[in-house]
Amino acid sequence: AQAATQVATIGHALGAANEATATATQAVLPAAADEVSASVAQLFSRFGQDYQAAAGQAAAYQQQFVQHLTAAANSYAAA
């Protein structure tokens, strides 16, 4: 159970960090008013969006992992 709690704590910390940076990473502003700056900003915004999508999938996996760790700990304790 302690391992599951530690993994959950790590997941919460990563989730908070992802939430704190979500806006900044998904809506990168162009450095200047030219086409190249706009294109680069758009590219980085897409990378940020892709990262946030992957982080969401990782968070879901992490939650399932915590559930399985908790279930395993409970089964072991009951045995």
Side-chain angles (χ1 to χ4, degrees):
Q2 184 179 6
T5 301
Q6 290 175 346
V7 171
T9 301
I10 292 168
H12 290 302
L14 289 173
N18 285 331
E19 286 180 29
T21 61
T23 302
T25 58
Q26 294 183 52
V28 178
L29 298 175
D34 61 294
E35 290 180 20
V36 173
S37 295
S39 294
V40 169
Q42 186 178 32
L43 176 69
F44 281 121
S45 292
R46 273 191 248 130
F47 284 143
Q49 292 165 359
D50 291 345
Y51 170 79
Q52 290 298 328
Q57 292 173 344
Y61 170 77
Q62 187 268 347
Q63 288 174 348
Q64 290 177 343
F65 185 66
V66 168
Q67 291 171 351
H68 290 298
L69 273 177
T70 301
N74 291 339
S75 293
Y76 184 77

